[in-house]
Amino acid sequence: MSFVANLSVTTKTKADTCAWRAHYADGHLVPAKEGFTADPKPCAGNDGTTITVENLFYNTPTRLGALRGASEEYARILDVVQKYAVHNPHVAFSCKKAGSATPDLSTPSGSDTKQAIRLIYGQTIAKELLHSDITSSEDSESTSRMDVDEESPSWSAEAYFTSANYQAKKTVLLLFINHRLVESARIKKALEAIYNGVLPKGSSPFMYLRYTLSHFLTVSISLSLLHDSLQIDPESIDVNVHPTKREVRFLNEDAIIERICNKLQETLVNQSQSRVYEYQTLLTSGILEIQTSSKAKGKAKELPPEERDSGEGSGPSTPAIATIPKKTLSKHKVRTSQKDRTLESMFPVLNPSQVVTGRTAEEEDEEPPPAVRLATEIKESECYLSSVRSLREAVGKVKHHQLTEIIENHIFVGIVDLSRCLSLIQHAKKLYLVNHGALAEELFYQLGLRQFGNFSRIRLEPPPSLRTLVSLAVHAEEGAKNSRLSEDQIVDRIVEILMDRREMLVEYFSMTISSEGMVESIPLLLKHYTPNLDKLPLFLMRLGPQVNWTSETECFESFLRELAYFYVPEPLIPDKSSPSPSEDEQSARWQIQHALFPALARYLVAPKSLLDRDVVQVANLPDLYRVFERC
């Protein structure tokens, strides 16, 4: 450790009057500060030894860059310490994150394996633990057909594993060889196979195996927990399978694994038969009567002594226990379906001209077709620019997990006000009013980062003139009239900036401007979604003053922000004089429902800032039931 970190050791015995501290670097004693000697120095301290490792990988930047976040690395450390605590129940372990008041792991000394498992993995696993001892000297006829030579090294194993009454979703394997935490895919697969006929489909076990001059294995399956200690001669083990020595091989591996698996399977079968025999004994003796009526709700009751001798209800077969599902209250039901009608279809039709679906009266009585959801795969482009990587990381740092989950699993209800960019969505039992314009702006910015350097294109035919478009926007801009520069000078500067950076715009953003100043293509951020091209002059004009072209990171961020603003659905003011919606309004509504919101659900990493004013909860089903129950 002293080769890759700053290492210090503080130690004190009961006989010493003070503790001693030494510092190491590259395997040798070094002075704590310049001008001091490298000899250990007296200091205050408690009895025992404390080893402190600081600035890990400070001199190896490649390995330092491979480290993940502090929380994730701490979770890995805690997982390793927990496994060693199970492996060494006689030693007290404590693991606490810096700055935390209480430790996340604390085990006493002098306990046993079962108690350590109870403290770390919970009472649910501990109460279902089974125990088994396996040795190489056992009679192989009762366990397996292994053929092991007499000269083969002897071994022994001790296993703690849960019965078929325990269930979990993920397999956990703790494998120790010579007191070192290792991995073995073959052992894990063989132990999982034991439970294939015991556990329901999709369930997994919990297992623990140890090998120290022996082999110790523990496997955790959803319905079972296994702790196995296997002891083998160290000369029979090959630890040089993986650079980190986490994977191992050993002699007679197949025979040893088969012997262990057969023994554990035998123990599981005997335990299951014992429970069945006990249950049948209670039934035949008349102590238990299975109630299948709805009043009993699947519970057993004790029979009076005079009815136990009648023999009624007893027989060779075991009656099934009737389980009645618990009724879900109406206020807790989530009423959503992809076939439900949207908000627009619930408004009454006042004029036949408003009917734009073209459906007949008979078709209107039929069930409405499911909503069209256009889901397209947008792969993240490979980019080695540190500026783009930092921008992508910044998006993840401000992620609001609860809001992201709401957007990801929402059901689109309808557009409330197209001119104000307001829509309704449902998540579980709650209804939210969202500003789809603000959500879209953040989405398109993130889609721009996601596809950086690999955009699709929207070709403009015929290509318009860059100068003409910028002139239109500058002429309509009120602020340009108050500038010290004339409109022509402003247009010249903006056109010059964009023309000088044509190659960069093509390479990074797929925005093509010909040498003659014609805009041939613009980037496409989302398929089936076309931005309002009426905003193109404004977009091109804003690229001049609003983009910081001098800094790489700020340039990319400000350009993508302007591009996202260009893609935001433009608020439309409906024509009240016309009874039917215009084609532009129908197109905008279709894009928002079938292209924008599916993309929001799939790709948006929602920041917390959207909660300020753009996402508001307007209804909660349980609260509505309370209101109507009082009426």
Side-chain angles (χ1 to χ4, degrees):
M1 293 303 302
S2 65
F3 281 87
V4 294
N6 298 329
L7 178 67
S8 63
V9 180
T10 304
T11 184
K12 179 183 179 299
T13 63
K14 292 184 179 180
D16 291 335
T17 58
C18 64
W20 296 85
R21 179 174 298 163
H23 296 266
Y24 293 86
D26 299 335
H28 302 284
L29 282 169
V30 295
K33 297 180 180 179
E34 295 184 1
F36 290 83
T37 62
D39 298 332
K41 300 295 187 297
C43 64
N46 299 324
D47 293 344
T49 301
T50 302
I51 302 175
T52 305
V53 180
E54 299 175 305
N55 298 327
L56 184 63
F57 301 140
Y58 73 96
N59 55 356
T60 54
T62 302
R63 298 191 66 180
L64 180 63
L67 292 177
R68 302 187 180 181
S71 299
E72 185 172 353
E73 293 295 339
Y74 174 72
R76 293 184 176 185
I77 294 173
L78 180 62
D79 178 64
V80 172
V81 176
Q82 287 176 339
K83 294 176 180 178
Y84 275 96
V86 173
H87 181 64
N88 301 278
H90 59 282
V91 179
F93 283 81
S94 178
C95 186
K96 183 175 68 173
K97 190 174 184 179
S100 177
T102 58
D104 295 307
L105 172 67
S106 180
T107 61
S109 60
S111 60
D112 54 20
T113 302
K114 188 173 182 178
Q115 183 179 357
I117 293 175
R118 178 185 294 108
L119 291 174
I120 297 174
Y121 293 100
Q123 176 65 23
T124 304
I125 292 178
K127 70 179 182 180
E128 297 294 342
L129 281 178
L130 302 178
H131 178 262
S132 180
D133 292 316
I134 311 101
T135 62
S136 59
S137 59
E138 289 183 357
D139 185 11
S140 61
E141 295 180 0
S142 61
T143 56
S144 66
R145 298 180 180 179
M146 296 186 304
D147 184 12
V148 183
D149 297 336
E150 293 182 357
E151 297 181 357
S152 300
S154 61
W155 56 271
S156 62
E158 182 182 10
Y160 291 90
F161 54 101
T162 54
S163 65
N165 299 321
Y166 173 77
Q167 297 185 8
K169 294 181 179 180
K170 185 179 180 181
T171 299
V172 179
L173 172 62
L174 286 70
L175 176 59
F176 284 84
I177 293 185
N178 289 344
H179 301 289
R180 182 184 180 91
L181 182 64
V182 295
E183 297 176 356
S184 175
R186 298 185 63 185
I187 294 177
K188 181 178 181 180
K189 185 176 181 180
L191 291 172
E192 286 179 331
I194 299 175
Y195 291 88
N196 286 343
V198 179
L199 302 181
K201 185 177 180 181
S203 300
S204 302
F206 177 88
M207 298 171 281
Y208 171 75
L209 178 64
R210 181 180 59 194
Y211 176 99
T212 317
L213 292 180
S214 66
H215 180 88
F216 176 78
L217 171 69
T218 300
V219 181
S220 165
I221 305 182
S222 54
L223 288 184
S224 62
L225 166 68
L226 167 69
H227 170 289
D228 183 15
S229 175
L230 173 62
Q231 297 181 347
I232 306 176
D233 187 355
E235 296 181 356
S236 304
I237 305 171
D238 181 12
V239 298
N240 297 313
V241 179
H242 192 274
T244 61
K245 294 182 171 57
R246 289 188 300 178
E247 298 182 12
V248 294
R249 299 286 187 272
F250 47 89
L251 291 178
N252 303 318
E253 184 173 0
D254 294 337
I256 293 174
I257 293 175
E258 183 180 358
R259 174 69 64 84
I260 294 174
C261 292
N262 289 341
K263 184 65 175 181
L264 298 185
Q265 188 173 15
E266 179 183 352
T267 305
L268 281 173
V269 172
N270 292 337
Q271 188 268 348
S272 301
Q273 292 178 350
S274 175
R275 293 208 169 202
V276 172
Y277 174 76
E278 179 183 0
Y279 181 69
Q280 290 181 344
T281 302
L282 294 174
L283 289 175
T284 55
S285 62
I287 297 178
L288 293 178
E289 177 187 3
I290 303 301
Q291 303 294 321
T292 57
S293 64
S294 59
K295 295 182 180 180
K297 295 184 180 179
K299 295 183 179 180
K301 74 174 184 178
E302 185 176 355
L303 294 177
E306 59 273 11
E307 295 183 11
R308 296 180 187 176
D309 300 332
S310 62
E312 296 181 359
S314 63
S317 62
T318 303
I321 299 178
T323 57
I324 300 178
K326 187 177 180 180
K327 183 179 179 181
T328 303
L329 299 178
S330 298
K331 63 182 181 180
H332 295 306
K333 292 181 179 179
V334 180
R335 306 176 185 274
T336 57
S337 172
Q338 294 295 336
K339 295 182 180 180
D340 287 346
R341 302 171 66 185
T342 57
L343 188 64
E344 289 83 355
S345 64
M346 299 179 186
F347 292 125
V349 178
L350 302 179
N351 192 311
S353 62
Q354 291 182 256
V355 181
V356 295
T357 59
R359 303 177 67 189
T360 62
E362 292 77 6
E363 292 174 339
E364 294 294 337
D365 297 333
E366 298 176 359
E367 183 180 0
V372 179
R373 295 181 66 89
L374 301 177
T376 56
E377 179 67 23
I378 301 178
K379 296 182 179 180
E380 186 175 77
S381 61
E382 294 185 4
C383 185
Y384 301 100
L385 297 176
S386 59
S387 56
V388 178
R389 288 187 173 185
S390 63
L391 291 175
R392 289 177 176 176
E393 293 175 358
V395 171
K397 291 180 180 179
V398 297
K399 176 181 179 180
H400 191 278
H401 295 279
Q402 186 177 0
L403 179 57
T404 302
E405 181 184 359
I406 292 174
I407 302 298
E408 181 179 354
N409 301 310
H410 80 273
I411 298 296
F412 180 78
V413 178
I415 299 174
V416 177
D417 192 333
L418 192 61
S419 61
R420 299 169 60 189
C421 296
L422 297 179
S423 297
L424 280 175
I425 62 172
Q426 178 184 350
H427 177 263
K429 295 172 286 187
K430 296 180 180 179
L431 190 66
Y432 296 90
L433 181 66
V434 300
N435 183 342
H436 60 252
L439 297 180
E441 184 173 358
E442 184 63 30
L443 169 69
F444 289 125
Y445 169 72
Q446 295 177 13
L447 290 181
L449 279 176
R450 187 182 185 89
Q451 305 172 81
F452 186 90
N454 191 29
F455 290 97
S456 299
R457 304 187 182 194
I458 300 178
R459 295 195 176 275
L460 304 179
E461 293 291 346
S465 170
L466 173 63
R467 179 175 295 276
T468 301
L469 295 177
V470 175
S471 299
L472 290 175
V474 172
H475 181 71
E477 183 69 26
E478 296 182 358
K481 300 177 182 179
N482 301 327
S483 176
R484 292 176 297 178
L485 301 176
S486 64
E487 291 186 2
D488 293 337
Q489 291 175 327
I490 296 175
V491 172
D492 292 339
R493 289 196 177 186
I494 295 175
V495 171
E496 182 182 359
I497 290 174
L498 298 181
M499 292 296 293
D500 292 343
R501 293 163 177 82
R502 289 187 302 115
E503 295 181 358
M504 184 197 73
L505 294 177
V506 174
E507 180 180 359
Y508 292 148
F509 305 107
S510 298
M511 181 174 173
T512 307
I513 302 176
S514 66
S515 57
E516 293 80 14
M518 310 300 289
V519 183
E520 298 178 350
S521 67
I522 57 176
L524 175 63
L525 296 180
L526 181 63
K527 291 183 179 180
H528 310 294
Y529 183 93
T530 303
N532 187 355
L533 295 181
D534 291 341
K535 298 168 60 177
L536 182 58
L538 178 63
F539 166 64
L540 295 173
M541 183 200 70
R542 289 175 61 89
L543 292 181
Q546 299 298 330
V547 177
N548 186 352
W549 300 98
T550 59
S551 172
E552 181 177 310
T553 303
E554 295 180 3
C555 173
F556 293 156
E557 181 182 11
S558 55
F559 184 93
L560 291 175
R561 289 291 182 187
E562 292 300 323
L563 182 61
Y565 179 73
F566 167 60
Y567 263 81
V568 171
E570 183 71 15
L572 297 176
I573 301 177
D575 186 5
K576 298 182 180 180
S577 61
S578 176
S580 60
S582 63
E583 293 183 2
D584 292 340
E585 182 179 350
Q586 294 181 32
S587 176
R589 289 179 178 273
W590 189 93
Q591 286 196 137
I592 292 171
Q593 177 179 350
H594 299 296
L596 177 60
F597 274 93
L600 287 170
R602 190 164 186 174
Y603 299 109
L604 179 64
V605 179
K608 186 178 179 181
S609 58
L610 292 176
L611 292 175
D612 295 338
R613 53 182 299 180
D614 299 314
V615 180
V616 180
Q617 178 184 326
V618 295
N620 185 16
L621 186 61
D623 295 339
L624 293 177
Y625 268 85
R626 294 192 191 101
V627 173
F628 287 105
E629 284 174 356
R630 291 196 297 264
C631 297

